[in-house]
Amino acid sequence: MSVGPRFSASALSRLPDAYVRRTGGAQRIVDQVDEAFDSFSKDYLEAQRVYVASEGQEQLFRVFTSQRITLLSQDLTRALSHVPGSLERLERKDQRKELGVDTPLQAFLIRRIVGRNGDGNDGSLSSILRSDTVIPPAGTTGPELSLYTLTATNAIESARTTTINAARFLVGGRFRK
């Protein structure tokens, strides 16, 4: 069953904000963001469970996390490219140069999801989930494992909330460049 007409991302980004709000665009975007984060969370927690039960496969867990965050970023790109203004060129040249990207969507994903430098210090979801404070030592069990899991879950939920809020502000016309 069709939800309605399909538009290319560039065509949708040119539609007036009122049209997107009137057609329930914001809720569809939020639903897609939720779906992407639900899938990510499920996969991450399953991989963490397998990693903890294994013997010292930390590097494999870090690689899995990086690859899964790349997939999350792709899912979010698909959802957020429908947000008005997300694919427009960043106005400030210094922003484009600093991040090496041209659009607000790319800038958001680098700052909040995939990270810039991979050293664990940029505050992105990727750097947080790959840090030693979130990856439990192999064989960790009980309450200690629960704390590591809660730390990871909080980071994922914080990224989800930030993503949804940014999309809602843009769709609602309350946040502009």
Side-chain angles (χ1 to χ4, degrees), residues 32-48:
Q32 289 175 355
V33 168
D34 272 335
E35 183 180 312
F37 273 100
D38 287 346
S39 176
F40 176 81
S41 216
K42 178 181 157 271
D43 291 350
Y44 178 85
L45 293 174
E46 178 63 19
Q48 182 196 55

Side-chain angles (χ1 to χ4, degrees), residues 95-151:
Q95 288 177 320
R96 292 191 308 267
K97 185 177 179 182
E98 172 194 352
L99 297 171
V101 298
D102 291 324
T103 69
L105 175 56
Q106 292 170 315
F108 175 82
L109 291 172
I110 285 174
R111 285 185 178 134
R112 300 294 182 195
I113 306 298
V114 298
R116 285 181 252 192
N117 52 20
D119 69 1
N121 295 321
D122 64 12
S124 68
L125 179 61
S126 179
S127 66
I128 292 169
L129 292 180
R130 292 184 299 114
S131 74
D132 292 335
T133 59
V134 178
I135 297 177
T140 302
T141 60
E144 188 177 358
L145 177 59
S146 294
L147 289 175
Y148 281 103
T149 301
L150 285 172
T151 302

Side-chain angles (χ1 to χ4, degrees), residues 21-131:
R21 283 192 303 273
R22 209 172 41 246
T23 59
Q27 189 56 50
R28 280 196 303 275
I29 291 166
V30 168
D31 291 345
Q32 289 175 355
V33 168
D34 272 335
E35 183 180 312
F37 273 100
D38 287 346
S39 176
F40 176 81
S41 216
K42 178 181 157 271
D43 291 350
Y44 178 85
L45 293 174
E46 178 63 19
Q48 182 196 55
R49 186 189 65 72
V50 170
Y51 157 70
V52 168
S54 72
E55 294 298 321
Q57 298 298 320
E58 183 176 321
Q59 187 57 33
L60 289 175
F61 183 61
R62 287 179 190 272
V63 169
F64 164 82
T65 300
S66 293
Q67 291 174 345
R68 190 57 183 85
I69 285 175
T70 298
L71 180 58
L72 172 64
S73 176
Q74 292 167 355
D75 291 342
L76 293 176
T77 297
R78 184 178 56 247
L80 297 174
S81 64
H82 297 285
V83 174
S86 67
L87 299 177
E88 293 176 8
R89 186 172 172 88
L90 287 169
E91 291 177 6
R92 292 180 36 206
K93 187 177 182 179
D94 62 320
Q95 288 177 320
R96 292 191 308 267
K97 185 177 179 182
E98 172 194 352
L99 297 171
V101 298
D102 291 324
T103 69
L105 175 56
Q106 292 170 315
F108 175 82
L109 291 172
I110 285 174
R111 285 185 178 134
R112 300 294 182 195
I113 306 298
V114 298
R116 285 181 252 192
N117 52 20
D119 69 1
N121 295 321
D122 64 12
S124 68
L125 179 61
S126 179
S127 66
I128 292 169
L129 292 180
R130 292 184 299 114
S131 74

